[in-house]
Amino acid sequence: MDVNSIGYGSALTPEVQAQYAVKLMSMAQQTSYIAGDVIQDTVEISAEALAKYTAEMAASMERLL
């Protein structure tokens, strides 16, 4: 929902409208943090997976030599 949608014509009092707008902005900010956390986790998992793969390939090459 858009913050602008709780403006004029709403049955909510101005105080409640302000509280609602603050809550919506807070939720939007938290969504950004969550997205950042997911990206960070993905990068860490990818780095860990690459390290394991590289170690496995190195071990396989040593066995062949």
Side-chain angles (χ1 to χ4, degrees):
M1 176 177 279
D2 188 19
V3 173
N4 294 327
S5 67
I6 59 169
Y8 302 107
S10 173
L12 302 175
T13 66
E15 182 180 336
V16 173
Q17 288 180 9
Q19 290 173 351
Y20 190 67
V22 168
K23 181 65 176 173
L24 286 176
M25 288 185 280
S26 174
M27 289 171 58
Q29 185 178 29
Q30 290 173 0
T31 300
S32 296
Y33 291 145
I34 291 169
D37 289 344
V38 168
I39 292 168
Q40 179 76 29
D41 290 347
T42 302
V43 168
E44 290 171 2
I45 290 168
S46 296
E48 184 179 339
L50 180 59
K52 286 182 179 180
Y53 173 76
T54 304
E56 289 174 7
M57 289 304 294
S60 294
M61 293 304 272
E62 283 183 18
R63 282 185 293 226
L64 290 175
L65 298 175

